[in-house]
Amino acid sequence: MTENHHILVLGGTGKTGRRVARLLPGARVGSRAGTPPFDWTDRATWDAALAGTRAAYLAYYPDITVPWAAEVLGAFAERAASAGVERLVLLSARGLPAAHPAEQAVREAGTGWTILRASWFCQNFSEEFPVVGVRERDELLLPAAPDTVEAFVDADDIADVAAAALTGDGLDGRTLELTSARALSMAESAAELSKATGREIRYREITPNAYAAHLTTEVGLSPEEAGMLAALFRDVLDGRNAAVTDDVTRALGRPARDFTDYAHAAAPAWRPTAPKDRQPGRA
């Protein structure tokens, strides 16, 4: 649709952002390498990115729960309101009070808004750090107990809801909690991955410190980023998001995608790779 060029996607190279951009051909992707460039840490880049923007998707990096996220997102949202942006769609985190100040800052900026509080993404298993252990050792490592239950959500569902919010009027002023229709324990998720790949994938709980060391030595993250992620995963993967919602269905008029379907579609991601092919950093 030609009007998509009025839509700005920030975080457009991440798991949800690139899916949102794919759904909205012609939308502009804000990134440091974009034209014009966009950088959350350089406010001099904001105005050019906002020029001509009607609606924007906000996926904040490094994470919406960091202490400075509310100030940065609030300042950006106010700048967007001044530039005439009509609607902001914010990707947030389900079950984490540390995300609420950033949500409120966006709500108060003066634009229309939709908040998407997402559960842990299914794609974190195939496009994120756990995939390293699965590929090389048939082992799923996370700082969470095997019986911890999570209502995982498919990133494609998040993108579909975001695209609907960016292009329509039915989701304005709503805070949605996005989950699948079926919650699984960590051990059950490993069993689902085993069925999809035809390999025995074991789940193993490790301490946050050990997980941070794993991210540093095997994935290549800095100690600071590894520590932040280990603490974040420890907090969010504690069973607080076990309850499922029907917000995906209410927003889209169809059922949320199931973890089994995701696992079969993503199975090629867990094929072993040579160490030289491993790409450090976030997806």
Side-chain angles (χ1 to χ4, degrees), residues 9 13 16 31 74 92 122 173 185 206:
V9 180
T13 60
T16 63
S31 69
S92 188
C122 297
S185 70
I206 59 175

Side-chain angles (χ1 to χ4, degrees), residues 109-262:
T111 70
W113 54 266
T114 305
I115 308 296
L116 307 181
R117 291 178 177 169
S119 289
W120 222 59
F121 305 169
C122 297
Q123 280 74 9
N124 285 344
F125 291 109
S126 54
E127 301 177 19
E128 194 50 280
F129 315 120
V131 73
V132 175
V134 173
R135 279 176 177 163
E136 312 307 335
R137 295 185 301 276
D138 288 340
E139 196 169 53
L140 180 58
L141 306 173
L142 282 168
D147 60 354
T148 298
V149 175
E150 176 74 15
F152 301 107
V153 63
D154 195 297
D156 288 321
D157 283 342
I158 300 171
D160 285 347
V161 175
L166 289 165
T167 58
D169 298 320
L171 300 178
D172 247 7
R174 294 180 59 183
T175 298
L176 306 178
E177 297 207 357
L178 305 182
T179 77
S180 65
R182 180 171 66 107
L184 295 171
S185 70
M186 291 298 167
E188 288 170 337
S189 67
E192 291 277 359
L193 302 185
S194 297
K195 292 176 185 177
T197 59
R199 297 154 53 192
E200 183 183 355
I201 296 173
R202 302 169 299 278
Y203 181 80
R204 182 160 67 93
E205 177 186 6
I206 59 175
T207 67
N209 286 342
Y211 189 65
H214 165 76
L215 294 179
T216 301
T217 59
E218 296 202 37
V219 182
L221 300 189
S222 69
E224 294 76 18
E225 187 173 15
M228 180 196 76
L229 286 169
L232 178 64
F233 290 176
R234 174 202 63 204
D235 290 344
V236 74
L237 296 176
D238 64 356
R240 68 182 65 191
N241 290 325
V244 301
T245 77
D246 63 354
D247 282 358
V248 169
T249 298
R250 288 177 177 271
L252 302 176
R254 63 157 177 81
R257 293 177 174 89
D258 188 76
F259 191 91
T260 298
D261 296 329
Y262 151 75

Side-chain angles (χ1 to χ4, degrees), residues 34-59:
T35 304
F38 176 86
D39 187 342
W40 284 114
T41 65
D42 183 0
R43 300 189 186 194
T45 67
W46 292 3
D47 288 339
L50 285 167
T53 296
R54 178 186 60 80
Y57 178 70
L58 312 182

Side-chain angles (χ1 to χ4, degrees), residues 3-13 16-18 20-22 24-32 34-40 45-59 76-77 79-81 83 85-91 162-163 165-167:
E3 62 266 27
N4 288 343
H5 73 277
H6 294 298
I7 296 175
L8 175 65
V9 180
L10 300 181
T13 60
T16 63
R18 67 174 179 267
V20 173
R22 192 183 307 140
L24 302 173
R28 293 175 292 119
V29 175
S31 69
R32 292 177 182 177
T35 304
F38 176 86
D39 187 342
W40 284 114
T45 67
W46 292 3
D47 288 339
L50 285 167
T53 296
R54 178 186 60 80
Y57 178 70
L58 312 182
F76 179 82
R79 190 86 63 93
V85 175
E86 299 170 8
R87 182 177 307 156
L88 298 174
V89 178
L90 175 66
L91 177 66
L166 289 165
T167 58

